[in-house]
Amino acid sequence: MFDPTVFDNLKVAFENQLYDLDTLDETIQITGRKDTMEMSVMGRAFSLAFHLTGQEAVTAELRLEASLKELAAELLELPGEAPGCELSLLFHMRVKDFEQQCPQIEAVFQRIWPENPVPVQTLSFVYSEGAATHKNEIKLPFKRKINEEQMEDISSLLEHVLLTLRALGEFSTASIVEK
């Protein structure tokens, strides 16, 4: 009989809550879904991308990853190993004045996610389009792996994601061009 892994259980839990926010509450719109097996390292990855309904300028992406080591430790029930998954959140938006806006964006994250490290902001632009605006990918790292013990925290985590999307959306309507 198939016994789902920590990865499978967390993936389903995130999917259930995010699809409820999409289809039932209509708070968000899911714009992308990936569920992959990386054959070169035998790892698994899952991601869901979404934005607030009516606010397409800022998107969020939830990523869940499990390495071969994590999956093997769980399936082989290796003693002393605590299987889990890496969770990361990414937010995508455009900025006009990165020198001014990036510190403001960082302050938003420090206010909403005070116990997390400072987010990593990666800026890029398409050369042929000029550098009038930059794509900003904001990655919020988490300090530890997650497992089924954190299932009850998913609702709270998603509430924080929605707060972040709303706060970043205020930047987009005030001073950041639409994606």
Side-chain angles (χ1 to χ4, degrees), residues 110-153:
Q110 289 175 333
R111 179 176 47 86
I112 297 173
W113 305 88
E115 297 184 18
N116 282 73
V118 175
V120 176
Q121 297 185 63
T122 304
L123 301 169
S124 63
F125 68 92
V126 177
Y127 174 74
S128 63
E129 295 175 6
T133 64
H134 288 76
K135 292 179 183 179
N136 190 359
E137 178 184 88
I138 309 149
K139 183 174 183 177
L140 183 63
F142 289 92
K143 300 174 190 173
R144 59 183 170 89
K145 295 183 289 186
I146 65 167
N147 57 38
E148 285 111 335
E149 292 176 11
Q150 286 78 39
M151 288 276 216
E152 292 179 9
D153 299 336

Side-chain angles (χ1 to χ4, degrees), residues 45-75:
F46 170 74
S47 71
L48 269 176
F50 54 95
H51 60 77
L52 291 174
T53 301
Q55 182 185 302
E56 297 176 19
V58 183
T59 62
E61 181 181 352
L62 180 135
R63 287 187 188 166
L64 191 63
E65 299 176 273
S67 67
L68 173 61
K69 179 181 176 186
E70 297 297 328
L71 294 169
E74 180 176 5
L75 295 172

Side-chain angles (χ1 to χ4, degrees), residues 4-175:
T5 63
V6 170
F7 177 88
D8 293 311
N9 289 331
L10 287 171
K11 179 184 89 163
V12 168
F14 277 114
E15 279 179 313
N16 287 342
Q17 292 200 32
L18 285 167
Y19 278 106
D20 283 352
L21 288 171
D22 181 14
T23 58
L24 299 178
D25 298 345
E26 297 181 356
T27 305
I28 65 169
Q29 289 183 317
I30 294 177
T31 58
R33 180 185 186 283
K34 293 180 185 174
D35 192 357
T36 59
M37 171 70 132
E38 179 59 54
M39 299 304 285
S40 63
V41 294
M42 299 305 289
R44 294 199 54 197
F46 170 74
S47 71
L48 269 176
F50 54 95
H51 60 77
L52 291 174
T53 301
Q55 182 185 302
E56 297 176 19
V58 183
T59 62
E61 181 181 352
L62 180 135
R63 287 187 188 166
L64 191 63
E65 299 176 273
S67 67
L68 173 61
K69 179 181 176 186
E70 297 297 328
L71 294 169
E74 180 176 5
L75 295 172
L76 298 174
E77 298 178 5
L78 298 177
E81 295 290 327
C85 300
E86 297 289 331
L87 173 68
S88 56
L89 295 173
L90 293 97
F91 297 85
H92 304 271
M93 61 191 300
R94 291 190 176 266
V95 295
K96 279 185 180 179
D97 181 1
F98 66 88
E99 289 180 354
Q100 178 186 5
Q101 293 168 315
C102 288
Q104 294 172 340
I105 291 167
E106 187 175 300
V108 165
F109 277 84
Q110 289 175 333
R111 179 176 47 86
I112 297 173
W113 305 88
E115 297 184 18
N116 282 73
V118 175
V120 176
Q121 297 185 63
T122 304
L123 301 169
S124 63
F125 68 92
V126 177
Y127 174 74
S128 63
E129 295 175 6
T133 64
H134 288 76
K135 292 179 183 179
N136 190 359
E137 178 184 88
I138 309 149
K139 183 174 183 177
L140 183 63
F142 289 92
K143 300 174 190 173
R144 59 183 170 89
K145 295 183 289 186
I146 65 167
N147 57 38
E148 285 111 335
E149 292 176 11
Q150 286 78 39
M151 288 276 216
E152 292 179 9
D153 299 336
I154 292 175
S155 293
S156 176
L157 176 101
L158 293 178
E159 285 176 28
H160 282 72
V161 171
L162 296 178
L163 284 171
T164 306
L165 282 170
R166 286 185 192 103
L168 294 176
E170 290 174 16
F171 281 108
S172 71
T173 57
S175 59

